[in-house]
Each structure stands twice: as structure tokens, then as C-alpha cells.
């Protein structure tokens, strides 16, 4: 469940303020409030909303008064849909939950409500973000946020909308990093990159609108391998070629991906094109990512695809780290698992840094020796022992395809 106030009238129209269980939200134009309204007709601290164990209450503070549904109030228990007016500003109170919208029904579950950011994001289904994105369904969940299928009512186009957890918008440094990263990515277009259509911040939510791809992620493919058996090595080869092309273009723009993993690679069903998504998102969230990697048990799925130098979290990385992530992903597509595993985060990181990967031919005898050598070179511990660029890798992949009688 989530609760929020959406400004519907006034100079702050379309801003959204999330409420948190056990906390009080002060509303007004003072910089000391969480809202910092620009409406000059509101008081510096006009009113506040308090979320207690079983109810959400609005308390008027201003001598100018506050109304709910057109009636002056000093204190009022809010119900979903209530319209709050202060000065020239109107806000609509929203409660979101999958099962019901009546306050009387929701009240008992308020006691179990979680302030976790993912719970807040779940409540966005059915809501409109940034005025014209209607969120229709959850497509995927990640450590940083959720991916929704949404309709852009301006273009009547289906898009994939990634919404980050509210805490990302509360840190000024992370906000600025996000803005810089998205501005860099917006103009980029390539046949093997998922295009970013727009990005911004609405209330407590940072969001990214992207092309909606009908297909499946490599994570889904790898999970299926475990049930149905090994994939033909040519599938992994196709992924390697397409994503190497995407990286060649990105690196040529002086942009690193920083998180080339199966979850960020999609196969489009219609034409079997492989696309790389979330370009620069790891850069935008690198402060958060670094913190999570230090917590035991966190991000195990993605850590398995990090290069040895990435696991150390120090020093500069370059495009060769992205190439390692591609090599680890292709290895997993052929074998059904990443090149290194572990029962704990320290063990996994130790294996990434020091253990040698198995030969892919152990799992698929049909893998050409030349392609196996390509994968193992991508997984070299030292960056200087890998391919030095995506262009160099593509040249080698072309040679692999020639010997195997393939062309892409």
C-alpha cells in the first residue's frame, strides 16, 4: 500500500508528495517543509499530515484555514479521494492497494503497511505519472526500482517506464547524478540499444521512459535453460555480436554501461534483434550500488557478472569491464549459469577475482574452439588480457562466424 498527495490545482500542479507510515509531512512554502510550495497564498507551514498506526490525519496549522472537500477543518481523518485546499492550491489524497479503495477496508491493513520503497512502487499501478504516463502493469522488479508497462497518452504509445525507489529522489547528490546521466543518454540512438524516450522526477519518483520491447530478457532465457537444457551456442554468438555492436557505439560516445548483465539484455520477438538497456543507469546509481554490494546477500545476481576490477570498487574502469560483463552473460547462455558462483557474497567475489572459469565445451561439445577462446579471453582477470575494445571483439566474432559458416 502507498499513500500520497497529488497537487491538482495551483502553481505546483502535478507535484506528488509521498507519505510514510509513522511520520508527519509538513505542507507549506517554507524551505523547512518537505513540500516547499511556490504558491504565495499558502502559509509557511500551512498544515501537516500524520500517518499513525491505523489512520492518516490532516491537521490545520494556518490562520488562513484548510478545507477538505470544501469544508473548513481543524483536524480530519483522510479518505482516499479527499480534496484538500490551502490557499490557491488543491491536492488530492490517494491511497493505493491491490484489493480495495475504501478507507474502512484499508484501515486494518495500515497497521501492517511497510515503508519499504518497493511497496510504494507497487501502488503506482493504475496511477498517472508526469501527467501523461498511465502505469498499467509491473513488468519486472530490480534492486533500484520497478519496470512498468505504461501508456503515453500524448502519443498513445506503449512504453516501458522504470521508476526508482523514492529514496533516490531524496538525496541531492544522487538526483544530480541521475539528471546528468539521463541527459547524456537521451539523444543516443542505435539498432541494438533500447532508446530512452524521456526521464525526469515527479514528486518523490525518478523515472525513465523507454521503448517497450516485446520479448524476453537474458535472465529469463538463462532460467529456462536450467529447465529445458542447453541453448544452441549460436544463440550466445548472436547475443555477443549484437551487444558488441551496441557497446562499440556507446564506447565511441565515451559512455560506459557499467552493468552489462542478463537482466539488461533483451531479445525482441519480432525480428530476433538483441538490445542493451539501462545505459548509464549504473553510473546514475553508482553511490547506491557501491553501498549495496558491501551488504552480505545483496545484488548476488548482478555481482556474478561484474568484472574483477568492479568488485574492488576502487580505481578507474573502462570499456573492457563492459566486455567482461558481455563475456559472462554469453558464458551463462551456453552453460546455464554464470562463470563463477558462491554460497556467499565474499566467496563469490573471491572466485571472480582468483578462480579460473570452466571451458564452455564442458557443457556443449558443439561450441567451436575459436568461440570458446573468445569467451574465455573476455573473462580474463586482467583488463589488459581481454579484447581492448568492442571493435576488436567484433573483428574476432566475424572470424568465428566465418569459420562456422555464419553471417549476421
Amino acid at each position: 500500500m502507498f499513500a500520497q498527495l497529488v497537487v491538482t490545482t495551483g502553481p505546483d500542479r502535478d507535484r506528488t508528495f509521498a507519505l510514510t507510515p509513522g511520520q508527519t509531512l509538513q505542507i507549506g512554502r517554507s524551505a523547512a517543509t518537505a513540500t516547499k510550495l511556490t504558491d504565495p497564498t499558502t502559509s509557511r507551514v500551512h498544515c501537516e499530515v500524520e500517518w499513525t498506526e491505523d489512520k492518516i490525519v490532516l491537521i490545520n496549522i494556518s490562520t488562513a484555514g484548510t478545507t477538505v472537500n470544501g469544508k473548513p477543518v481543524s483536524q480530519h481523518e483522510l479518505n482516499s479521494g479527499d480534496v484538500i485546499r490551502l490557499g490557491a492550491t488543491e491536492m488530492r489524497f490517494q491511497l493505493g492497494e491491490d484489493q480495495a479503495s475504501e478507507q474502512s477496508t484499508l484501515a486494518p491493513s495500515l497497521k501492517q503497511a511497510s515503508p519499504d520503497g518497493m511497496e510504494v512502487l507497487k501502488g503506482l499501478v493504475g496511477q498517472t505519472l508526469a501527467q501523461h504516463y498511465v502505469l498499467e502493469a509491473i513488468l519486472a522488479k530490480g534492486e533500484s526500482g520497478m519496470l512498468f508497462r505504461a501508456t503515453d497518452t500524448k502519443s498513445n504509445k506503449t512504453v516501458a517506464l522504470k521508476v526508482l525507489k523514492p529514496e533516490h529522489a531524496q538525496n541531492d547528490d544522487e538526483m544530480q547524478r541521475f539528471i546528468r546521466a539521463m541527459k547524456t543518454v537521451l539523444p543516443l540512438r542505435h539498432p541494438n540499444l533500447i532508446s530512452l524516450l524521456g526521464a525526469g522526477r515527479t514528486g518523490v519518483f525518478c523515472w525513465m521512459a523507454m521503448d517497450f520491447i516485446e520479448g524476453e530478457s537474458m535472465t529469463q532465457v538463462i532460467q529456462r535453460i536450467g529447465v529445458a537444457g542447453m541453448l544452441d551456442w549460436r544463440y550466445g554468438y548472436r547475443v555477443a555480436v549484437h551487444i558488441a555492436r551496441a557497446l562499440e557505439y556507446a564506447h565511441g560516445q565515451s559512455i560506459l554501461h557499467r552493468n552489462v548483465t542478463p537482466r539488461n539484455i533483451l531479445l525482441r520477438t519480432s525480428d530476433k534483434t538483441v538490445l542493451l538497456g539501462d545505459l548509464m543507469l549504473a553510473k546514475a546509481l553508482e553511490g547506491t550500488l557501491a553501498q549495496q554490494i558491501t551488504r552480505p546477500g545483496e545484488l548476488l545476481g548482478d555481482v556474478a557478472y561484474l568484472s574483477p576490477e568492479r568488485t574492488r570498487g576502487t580505481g578507474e574502469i573502462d570499456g573492457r569491464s563492459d566486455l567482461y560483463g558481455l563475456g559472462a552473460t554469453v558464458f551463462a547462455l551456453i552453460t546455464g549459469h554464470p562463470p563463477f558462483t558462491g554460497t556467499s557474497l565474499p566467496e563469490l567475489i573471491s572466485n571472480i577475482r582468483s578462480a579460473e572459469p570452466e571451458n564452455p565445451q564442458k557443457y556443449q561439445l558443439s561450441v567451436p574452439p575459436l568461440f570458446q577462446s573468445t569467451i574465455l579471453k573476455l573473462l580474463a582477470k586482467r583488463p589488459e588480457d581481454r579484447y581492448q575494445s568492442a571493435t576488436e571483439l567484433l573483428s574476432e566474432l566475424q572470424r568465428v562466424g566465418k569459420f562456422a559458416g555464419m553471417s549476421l
Side-chain angles (χ1 to χ4, degrees):
M1 179 216 283
F2 79 104
Q4 64 181 11
L5 296 170
V6 180
V7 181
T8 56
T9 303
D12 297 282
R13 182 178 175 180
D14 296 320
R15 290 182 65 192
T16 303
F17 306 111
L19 302 171
T20 303
Q23 295 187 7
T24 298
L25 175 74
Q26 287 194 323
I27 303 171
R29 55 185 173 82
S30 169
T33 68
T35 57
K36 303 176 187 176
L37 298 174
T38 58
D39 179 1
T41 64
T42 59
S43 301
R44 292 180 61 79
V45 180
H46 203 105
C47 59
E48 59 186 28
V49 177
E50 181 181 20
W51 187 336
T52 60
E53 282 190 353
D54 58 355
K55 58 186 177 180
I56 300 176
V57 177
L58 178 139
I59 303 167
N60 175 60
I61 296 175
S62 173
T63 56
T66 304
T67 68
V68 177
N69 302 327
K71 297 180 180 179
V73 298
S74 58
Q75 185 168 313
H76 177 84
E77 183 176 339
L78 291 170
N79 294 284
S80 188
D82 279 351
V83 176
I84 303 163
R85 187 174 185 92
L86 47 152
T89 297
E90 282 191 352
M91 300 179 175
R92 183 176 297 277
F93 174 67
Q94 295 179 339
L95 275 171
E97 191 173 65
D98 293 335
Q99 297 181 1
S101 60
E102 294 292 332
Q103 175 72 14
S104 58
T105 304
L106 291 175
S109 64
L110 282 174
K111 295 179 181 179
Q112 289 83 36
S114 168
D116 178 75
M118 298 304 279
E119 291 299 316
V120 175
L121 292 178
K122 287 179 185 177
L124 289 177
V125 175
Q127 304 296 320
T128 299
L129 201 63
Q131 302 183 49
H132 58 100
Y133 293 113
V134 180
L135 281 64
E136 298 167 346
I138 297 171
L139 296 175
K141 303 174 185 178
E143 284 79 13
S144 60
M146 282 188 187
L147 185 67
F148 297 86
R149 187 185 72 240
T151 295
D152 181 353
T153 57
K154 283 185 177 179
S155 62
N156 199 31
K157 178 181 178 180
T158 300
V159 301
L161 195 75
K162 174 162 285 189
V163 185
L164 305 183
K165 291 187 209 176
E167 48 261 42
H168 292 295
Q170 296 172 6
N171 182 294
D172 288 340
D173 289 340
E174 289 197 9
M175 265 303 305
Q176 292 306 313
R177 192 182 296 117
F178 175 80
I179 291 169
R180 288 193 300 270
M182 294 307 102
K183 282 183 177 179
T184 301
V185 174
L186 268 171
L188 301 183
R189 293 293 182 270
H190 185 274
N192 298 110
L193 282 179
I194 298 175
S195 296
L196 182 67
L197 306 175
R201 174 185 175 181
T202 302
V204 297
F205 301 112
C206 292
W207 53 269
M208 308 156 53
M210 300 164 286
D211 279 339
F212 178 77
I213 307 299
E214 287 280 6
E216 61 180 348
S217 72
M218 293 304 103
T219 297
Q220 294 169 307
V221 173
I222 292 166
Q223 289 172 345
R224 193 172 69 242
I225 292 172
V227 176
M230 299 300 105
L231 281 175
D232 189 299
W233 70 269
R234 294 173 182 83
Y235 189 107
Y237 174 77
R238 185 183 189 90
V239 170
V241 171
H242 286 204
I243 299 306
R245 289 171 180 167
L247 291 174
E248 181 183 44
Y249 171 74
H251 294 170
Q253 307 292 317
S254 299
I255 293 173
L256 304 181
H257 189 286
R258 289 178 166 82
N259 198 29
V260 179
T261 64
R263 78 169 67 201
N264 289 328
I265 299 174
L266 299 180
L267 174 72
R268 186 162 55 207
T269 303
S270 61
D271 59 4
K272 305 305 179 185
T273 296
V274 186
L275 301 105
L276 180 63
D278 278 357
L279 189 64
M280 286 285 282
L281 183 60
K283 174 66 174 175
L285 303 179
E286 65 181 3
T288 302
L289 185 66
Q291 293 168 11
Q292 287 178 319
I293 287 176
T294 63
R295 299 178 196 159
E298 293 286 345
L299 280 178
L300 279 171
D302 282 349
V303 170
Y305 298 90
L306 292 184
S307 63
E309 63 269 23
R310 282 293 312 279
T311 67
R312 293 183 171 88
T314 58
E316 290 295 319
I317 64 165
D318 56 31
R320 295 171 295 184
S321 185
D322 284 345
L323 296 181
Y324 179 98
L326 174 56
T329 298
V330 173
F331 182 99
L333 288 170
I334 290 175
T335 67
H337 57 78
F340 305 104
T341 58
T343 57
S344 65
L345 186 59
E347 181 184 354
L348 172 58
I349 290 176
S350 176
N351 288 338
I352 290 172
R353 293 174 181 174
S354 59
E356 291 302 320
E358 296 177 304
N359 289 333
Q361 281 185 331
K362 175 181 176 180
Y363 298 89
Q364 280 201 58
L365 291 175
S366 61
V367 177
L370 193 58
F371 189 41
Q372 173 172 272
S373 297
T374 302
I375 296 169
L376 294 177
K377 185 170 180 177
L378 286 169
L379 296 175
K381 302 300 180 188
R382 302 192 312 160
E384 54 266 37
D385 293 332
R386 300 174 205 147
Y387 296 98
Q388 297 304 288
S389 68
T391 302
E392 184 183 349
L393 170 61
L394 281 168
S395 178
E396 183 67 7
L397 288 171
Q398 186 176 18
R399 194 162 73 98
V400 172
K402 182 178 180 181
F403 275 89
M406 298 174 59
S407 61
L408 285 177

